[in-house]
Amino acid sequence: MALSTCQVLELSAASTIQALVGHHAISSVVQEYCASFHSRVVSARPPHAAWPTDEAVPFTEYADLVLMMPRATRVSIAKLAAATLESRGHGVGVRILTSSKYNHTIDELVQEVSEGKSVLVVNGTGDAERVLALVVLNLNRGDGRTLVQLGTWTWERTRAIPDCQLPAAKRLEKETTD
């Protein structure tokens, strides 16, 4: 007995390739997406990830795959996401809340992608989404204690700002987690 409904989309490889002829930008994104997805399928294995199944392949969310693509492709995808933001009333110069601490203009978000610091994608609900690749350090001792970062130091204000969390940093372009 089925627990939920699903939809199946069947594509003819030959028809899909024919449809992409003459659409270089779309063809490039599709090729990069396929290469990124394949890379995740063949690398998914314990102990770093669960084995892929016909229901799920680890780390294949759209934004995860875009993070693996070449910078030029990521910038093209970011420009499409920026157009989505603009079509929803976020014009040039309007500040957009991207986290509890920061807000950015559309141009700043696209610039961040151009510098390899983040990606900007349209998510499954049709909203633009800024995604960062973070590396988080989780060190635990045998007695149960964990290393935490208690705050950050700002040189311009010459003081510490409390912010208790695990130590983390943005993963830069071409850095791996291996």
Side-chain angles (χ1 to χ4, degrees), residues 53-111:
T53 68
D54 56 349
E55 293 181 359
V57 177
F59 310 113
T60 56
E61 291 291 324
Y62 179 60
D64 293 331
L65 297 174
V66 173
L67 280 165
M68 296 176 62
M69 295 179 185
R71 187 181 296 189
T73 305
R74 292 192 316 263
V75 170
S76 295
I77 291 169
K79 288 179 180 177
L80 291 172
T84 298
L85 284 171
E86 289 172 350
S87 73
R88 299 212 174 150
H90 297 287
V92 176
V94 174
R95 300 203 73 77
I96 301 160
L97 185 66
T98 55
S99 74
S100 61
K101 297 179 185 179
Y102 305 105
N103 59 30
H104 300 279
T105 65
I106 293 172
D107 290 339
E108 288 170 341
L109 292 172
V110 173
Q111 181 62 33

Side-chain angles (χ1 to χ4, degrees), residues 39-175:
S39 172
R40 294 294 178 144
V41 169
V42 298
S43 66
R45 60 182 176 275
H48 302 295
W51 289 104
T53 68
D54 56 349
E55 293 181 359
V57 177
F59 310 113
T60 56
E61 291 291 324
Y62 179 60
D64 293 331
L65 297 174
V66 173
L67 280 165
M68 296 176 62
M69 295 179 185
R71 187 181 296 189
T73 305
R74 292 192 316 263
V75 170
S76 295
I77 291 169
K79 288 179 180 177
L80 291 172
T84 298
L85 284 171
E86 289 172 350
S87 73
R88 299 212 174 150
H90 297 287
V92 176
V94 174
R95 300 203 73 77
I96 301 160
L97 185 66
T98 55
S99 74
S100 61
K101 297 179 185 179
Y102 305 105
N103 59 30
H104 300 279
T105 65
I106 293 172
D107 290 339
E108 288 170 341
L109 292 172
V110 173
Q111 181 62 33
E112 211 179 57
V113 175
S114 297
E115 294 169 357
K117 296 179 181 177
S118 68
V119 296
L120 185 63
V121 297
V122 176
N123 65 20
T125 61
D127 296 321
E129 183 174 84
R130 174 180 177 246
V131 180
L132 306 171
L134 294 177
V135 176
V136 179
L137 181 64
N138 188 358
L139 288 178
N140 301 292
R141 289 190 345 188
D143 62 4
R145 293 183 181 188
T146 302
L147 173 71
V148 295
Q149 176 179 319
L150 298 176
T152 55
W153 183 264
T154 61
W155 292 104
E156 58 275 353
R157 294 185 182 159
T158 62
R159 66 184 180 103
I161 298 173
D163 188 16
C164 188
Q165 62 184 4
L166 293 174
K170 288 181 190 176
R171 190 180 80 208
L172 299 177
E173 190 173 41
K174 299 186 181 181
E175 285 185 329

